[in-house]
Amino acid sequence: MNLELLESFGQNYPEEFDGVLDSISLAVTCVFNKYGTLLAVGCNDGRIVIWDFLTRGIAKIITAHMHPVCSLSWSRNGHKLLSASTDNNVCTWNILSGEREEMYKFPSPVLKVQYHPRKKNLFLVCPMKHAAVLVDTEGNHKLVPMGEDSDLMIVASFDRRGEYIYTGNARGKILVLTCPDLELKVSFKVSTGMTGIKSIEFARRGDCFLLNCSDRVIRVYDAKHVLDTGKEGEPEPIQKLQDLVNKTMWKKCCFSGDGEYVCAGSARQHALYIWEKSIGNLVKILHGTKGELLLDVVWHPVRAIISSISSGLVSVWAQNQVENWSAFAPDFKELDENVEYDERESEFDLEDEDKSITKDIQRCDEDFEVDVESAEPVAAFCSSDEEGAIEDHKEALMFLPIAPEIEDPEPDMLPPPIATSTSSKCRTIDIHLDNATDEVHPLLSNKTKDKQLTGGKKGPKRGPKQQ
């Protein structure tokens, strides 16, 4: 698909089921890289499966943790992957070599990890019932301030450019702090009641972000307007999205790649709701197999594709592609039945005897050199305020080399190396947190989530339906 044309005409939203990705192990979480060419899937046996999303094949398997992987995050250039496990460990991985570079041991369960959008040495960690931690791989870590409300149910996220960190707690209080100085910039409450913040998500394009709240309402805000309100402001959301009929609780929310649509996955069933952000109307509901529970939802950064996880499988949702032959041949006409063709004069002659002699014939310059080495950055892959797009494009890791499968290998041929977590260069850092909780990670303690990790037969027949 021509990505430049795709960017010019904009995105739409998925309309139908488009197959599954079976990672052999039971999938728990997934995340696309910046370009949408690779999909990292964290599994319940601690492995990380890297999918080549264009070929829908497994490019690499990393034996990462001993316990389920609960959160993943790609670095900006795609060379590194950040992973968190229910064993309270956070690791950084070199994707090409499959080796672990650093391991950070936390005293409490880690709910979320996120790489800084621009700086490769910073990442954000959200421990369970504790203030978020800003970790610098080249220095020390900092605790993100919680404000006056000492509520420990904290969620946090970088904004699109990484200039600010947004935090929210179970009392509905939002704090906006500068990064990396952690100075308070904005504080406000989303409502007058005790509306808890479950997650904060930012659009890849534009200045909007959403709050998944415990009152079953998704609030969409304009980040520029929020920053202008100051510490005592009361910004109003530009949209409030909810399921008025079923009063659905939302498991995971995300923006489309162009920021024009909002997708939310139901916490009670495998159902994806898609709204148009500018109007706020519900445009599509995608239903998975009945009885399955949703674990994660991600939208492709460039195309109208959604990946969702349930019953250990990654479901892919896409648009119905209709072949348009007239795009290749303007004179092409699709016929319902056979018709008698009228041959035009000199249509099939080897040389046109009636052509104009004075017609100017343009000849190509045989000495013209075509540059096949340098590549211009594709607009669909660049942020709207991209600095140094060419340098980022050159350093980007879009695909992984795949060793071909040999049917009849020779006896003396060495087997291909397997990526493991053992590395002599790996650094281990203990993170000490005051008043750290010793509770079990939600993935391990909740029986319904245990059902999601182990339940459901992984058969080829899945019955998604659209509405």
Side-chain angles (χ1 to χ4, degrees):
M1 181 177 289
N2 192 319
L3 288 173
E4 294 184 0
L5 289 177
L6 181 69
E7 177 63 20
S8 300
F9 293 108
Q11 274 184 297
N12 212 320
Y13 52 86
E15 296 178 341
E16 62 180 18
F17 179 72
D18 192 33
V20 298
L21 304 178
D22 190 350
S23 300
I24 305 174
S25 307
L26 297 176
V28 178
T29 183
C30 63
V31 61
F32 282 104
N33 66 346
K34 178 185 175 183
Y35 307 98
T37 55
L38 298 174
L39 177 69
V41 178
C43 302
N44 73 329
D45 61 356
R47 297 196 300 175
I48 300 175
V49 180
I50 310 295
W51 287 84
D52 187 319
F53 201 72
L54 297 184
T55 62
R56 304 283 178 94
I58 296 178
K60 185 183 283 288
I61 298 178
I62 301 175
T63 305
H65 298 272
M66 299 297 293
H67 295 269
V69 179
C70 57
S71 183
L72 293 169
S73 178
W74 289 90
S75 64
R76 180 177 176 81
N77 59 9
H79 284 268
K80 292 185 179 182
L81 187 68
L82 187 65
S83 68
S85 172
T86 56
D87 57 6
N88 305 352
N89 292 335
V90 175
C91 301
T92 59
W93 302 91
N94 185 309
I95 294 299
L96 281 176
S97 65
E99 294 182 348
R100 183 173 59 195
E101 295 186 344
E102 295 106 8
M103 182 171 68
Y104 298 85
K105 295 185 177 181
F106 283 79
S108 58
V110 175
L111 303 180
K112 174 190 174 182
V113 290
Q114 182 186 10
Y115 256 121
H116 191 282
R118 300 291 169 93
K119 299 177 181 178
K120 60 183 179 181
N121 62 310
L122 291 179
F123 62 86
L124 193 63
V125 180
C126 296
M128 183 177 174
K129 293 188 177 181
H130 195 277
V133 182
L134 181 63
V135 180
D136 187 348
T137 58
E138 300 174 356
N140 299 323
H141 65 276
K142 300 179 182 178
L143 293 182
V144 180
M146 295 185 297
E148 297 177 358
D149 294 336
S150 59
D151 188 274
L152 295 178
M153 296 299 292
I154 299 291
V155 294
S157 174
F158 289 113
D159 70 343
R160 184 169 65 90
R161 301 181 184 92
E163 297 175 354
Y164 299 97
I165 296 176
Y166 286 63
T167 68
N169 61 21
R171 299 182 181 181
K173 188 68 175 289
I174 300 294
L175 301 180
V176 182
L177 305 106
T178 59
C179 179
D181 300 329
L182 301 180
E183 296 180 359
L184 183 62
K185 179 79 173 178
V186 177
S187 65
F188 67 94
K189 292 197 69 172
V190 297
S191 66
T192 56
M194 298 288 287
T195 303
I197 309 299
K198 299 173 64 178
S199 65
I200 304 173
E201 303 289 340
F202 280 83
R204 183 173 176 268
R205 290 185 175 273
D207 294 296
C208 290
F209 67 94
L210 64 81
L211 304 176
N212 180 13
C213 304
S214 59
D215 61 355
R216 310 184 184 193
V217 178
I218 302 170
R219 293 170 170 84
V220 182
Y221 288 87
D222 186 341
K224 287 185 177 180
H225 176 62
V226 170
L227 292 173
D228 292 338
T229 57
K231 297 181 180 179
E232 301 298 331
E234 295 181 358
E236 288 295 326
I238 58 177
Q239 292 292 350
K240 290 184 177 181
L241 310 174
Q242 58 183 319
D243 182 6
L244 294 173
V245 177
N246 301 316
K247 301 295 182 182
T248 304
M249 290 283 289
W250 307 114
K251 174 69 176 178
K252 176 72 183 298
C253 305
C254 61
F255 281 97
S256 62
D258 57 2
E260 295 299 325
Y261 295 91
V262 174
C263 177
S266 171
R268 296 186 295 186
Q269 58 181 334
H270 191 180
L272 306 176
Y273 291 68
I274 302 175
W275 292 271
E276 191 172 356
K277 185 196 69 177
S278 59
I279 305 175
N281 60 322
L282 183 66
V283 295
K284 194 73 177 177
I285 302 178
L286 302 172
H287 289 281
T289 304
K290 190 175 182 181
E292 292 182 344
L293 295 178
L294 200 65
L295 277 177
D296 202 358
V297 178
V298 289
W299 197 305
H300 193 279
V302 182
R303 302 173 61 185
I305 295 176
I306 293 176
S307 295
S308 61
I309 293 181
S310 63
S311 295
L313 293 177
V314 180
S315 301
V316 181
W317 308 84
Q319 288 178 308
N320 182 18
Q321 301 294 335
V322 180
E323 293 180 343
N324 183 12
W325 291 100
S326 61
F328 302 98
D331 296 333
F332 180 84
K333 295 180 181 179
E334 189 172 353
L335 303 175
D336 295 332
E337 58 183 10
N338 293 336
V339 296
E340 187 176 349
Y341 181 72
D342 295 329
E343 179 184 345
R344 299 193 305 271
E345 182 67 26
S346 70
E347 182 177 3
F348 297 107
D349 294 347
L350 294 177
E351 295 182 3
D352 191 357
E353 299 175 353
D354 300 328
K355 69 179 180 180
S356 175
I357 300 176
T358 59
K359 185 177 180 181
D360 185 24
I361 301 176
Q362 297 180 353
R363 296 181 178 179
C364 297
D365 187 359
E366 296 180 358
D367 296 334
F368 181 78
E369 294 184 1
V370 179
D371 185 8
V372 296
E373 295 181 356
S374 61
E376 293 292 330
V378 181
F381 290 154
C382 300
S383 301
S384 56
D385 62 338
E386 196 78 18
E387 313 96 351
I390 298 178
E391 287 73 13
D392 286 346
H393 191 74
K394 289 180 180 178
E395 296 178 358
L397 178 64
M398 296 189 185
F399 302 98
L400 288 176
I402 301 177
E405 296 182 0
I406 303 175
E407 296 182 356
D408 298 322
E410 297 180 3
D412 56 346
M413 183 176 293
L414 296 176
I418 301 176
T420 61
S421 60
T422 59
S423 174
S424 58
K425 300 179 182 179
C426 177
R427 296 189 303 136
T428 302
I429 300 97
D430 290 324
I431 304 294
H432 299 284
L433 301 177
D434 295 333
N435 302 321
T437 180
D438 56 354
E439 295 185 21
V440 183
H441 196 283
L443 273 176
L444 303 177
S445 61
N446 196 329
K447 292 183 179 180
T448 60
K449 293 187 177 180
D450 284 340
K451 180 182 177 182
Q452 297 176 55
L453 293 177
T454 59
K457 292 184 178 180
K458 295 170 57 174
K461 294 184 179 179
R462 295 166 66 94
K465 57 183 179 179
Q466 297 83 39
Q467 177 172 324

